[in-house]
Amino acid sequence: MTGTREGAGSISWSRRGLMARVLALTGLCAGQASAQDVPVLIEMRKFAFVPAEIAIRAGATVTFVNLDLVPHTASATNDSFDTGTLRRNERKAVSFPAPGAFSYVCRFHPHMTGVVRVT
Amino acid sequence: MTNRKTSHASGFAAVALAAIISAGCAATSKAQDPAALNDLEIAHAAYVAGDIDIRNAHLALALSDNPQVRDFAQLMLTDHQAVNDAALALLAKLGADPQDNPFSQSLLSGARKTWGDLARLSGHDFDKSYAANELAYHQTVNSVVGDAFIPHVENAELKDLLGSALATFQAHEQHAAQMVEAIGQ
């Protein structure tokens, strides 16, 4: 009987755990996107970073991908990160281990700007 | 002196403009109307337009010491080469050869005149004229690509490529306008 209850309880906790993992993976847990679990993609498209501004958790990784014909970079204005030159369809993952607001530009096309806010 | 410099700048820009606009005006033959070109002629003209600006950039890198001019010229080399490489890759994929045409020839004819005029200048006169020419050139090319080439091209992949190229050239136009303002009179 106890075993049955424990068994029932185990099944219940398992379901909760599964649900929590699903929610975390889909970024829906308690209304907060868990950027450690959800891939974050910033496109370089038509001479703009899309999205131009994002908020992520410390430790998350952002992937920049260039969809334009010409080379671009994502280069932090405080020199904290730099994707280097990304040609068409090339991508680069950048990790953000510490909180802060990280503004960046394309070194070739300085009117392209963005910011990653890390909490 | 100021007037002479202004005259140089507007004169070269006018040459660049005239070379293209005259090719598209109603008074010229239909073969020179950019809206009347077939896909392979459009591909050729677009490639030539990019190649002209690459040559403009080489001239600037050879003659200018101005950091803004040199940075812009280097960007034109990189970007236009990337666009032209993409165009060649598409043509190779399609197994097609671009076709020379009177419009492409008129572009080159106007460019040769501009190169000759620019090459006779130096220092601030050159920088100002190069900047003004780049702004006028991109304004006109963008008009031709956006209003004549893209609406009339039939191949979907070429149309998509021209759309991406136009986004590139529009960014260049904005950048050129900033360069003109920064260099001033």
Side-chain angles (χ1 to χ4, degrees):
Chain A
M1 190 65 173
T2 302
T4 301
R5 282 198 303 269
E6 285 174 353
S10 291
I11 292 170
S12 176
W13 279 111
S14 265
R15 284 177 177 163
R16 288 181 196 172
L18 177 62
M19 183 61 75
R21 284 193 290 275
V22 169
L23 287 173
L25 284 169
T26 55
L28 298 174
C29 185
Q32 297 172 334
S34 175
Q36 280 113 328
D37 297 321
V38 181
V40 180
L41 190 69
I42 297 179
E43 295 178 346
M44 299 149 155
R45 173 160 41 100
K46 292 189 175 179
F47 286 77
F49 294 106
V50 183
E53 184 169 343
I54 60 165
I56 61 171
R57 294 276 187 85
T61 296
V62 173
T63 298
F64 293 89
V65 58
N66 180 10
L67 301 180
D68 278 340
L69 293 176
V70 303
H72 291 305
T73 76
S75 308
T77 55
N78 66 357
D79 295 329
S80 60
F81 73 90
D82 195 326
T83 62
T85 300
L86 297 180
R87 291 180 171 77
R88 189 183 191 188
N89 293 327
E90 288 184 339
R91 58 181 59 209
K92 173 86 172 185
V94 178
S95 294
F96 291 86
F102 300 90
S103 298
Y104 60 93
V105 301
C106 170
R107 276 190 282 112
F108 303 136
H109 311 99
H111 68 281
M112 293 174 61
T113 63
V115 60
V116 178
R117 300 188 188 284
V118 185
T119 56
Chain B
M1 189 64 175
T2 300
N3 286 340
R4 186 173 65 82
K5 289 177 181 176
T6 303
S7 175
H8 275 148
S10 58
F12 296 154
V15 167
L17 282 167
I20 303 168
I21 292 174
S22 67
C25 75
T28 57
S29 71
K30 187 171 178 60
Q32 287 184 303
D33 180 357
L37 302 181
N38 66 39
D39 282 15
L40 295 177
E41 290 171 331
I42 286 174
H44 190 280
Y47 187 94
V48 166
D51 196 53
I52 285 171
D53 209 37
I54 288 172
R55 296 202 216 178
N56 290 346
H58 280 300
L59 192 60
L61 290 173
L63 295 179
S64 178
D65 294 321
N66 183 302
Q68 286 176 302
V69 168
R70 295 185 65 83
D71 286 350
F72 184 88
Q74 187 59 56
L75 184 66
M76 295 305 101
L77 284 182
T78 303
D79 283 2
H80 283 292
Q81 192 61 58
V83 172
N84 277 3
D85 286 348
L88 290 178
L90 175 60
L91 289 167
K93 175 187 168 187
L94 298 174
D97 290 322
Q99 290 179 358
D100 197 2
N101 59 84
F103 185 73
S104 292
Q105 291 162 15
S106 72
L107 285 175
L108 266 177
S109 175
R112 288 193 184 101
K113 173 73 168 64
T114 299
W115 294 328
D117 291 340
L118 284 172
R120 283 192 285 273
L121 299 177
S122 61
H124 186 69
D125 284 353
F126 174 86
D127 295 337
K128 192 160 57 65
S129 297
Y130 170 77
N133 188 66
E134 284 300 296
L135 177 57
Y137 187 72
H138 281 94
Q139 286 171 335
T140 306
V141 167
N142 289 343
S143 174
V144 171
V145 173
D147 298 337
F149 287 177
I150 291 177
H152 292 94
V153 75
E154 294 179 1
N155 181 277
E157 288 180 279
L158 181 55
K159 188 185 286 282
D160 185 58
L161 179 68
L162 287 171
S164 297
L166 180 59
T168 302
F169 304 156
Q170 286 170 336
H172 292 171
E173 181 182 329
Q174 292 177 13
H175 197 154
Q178 292 166 359
M179 178 172 61
V180 167
E181 187 174 342
I183 291 174
Q185 298 301 313

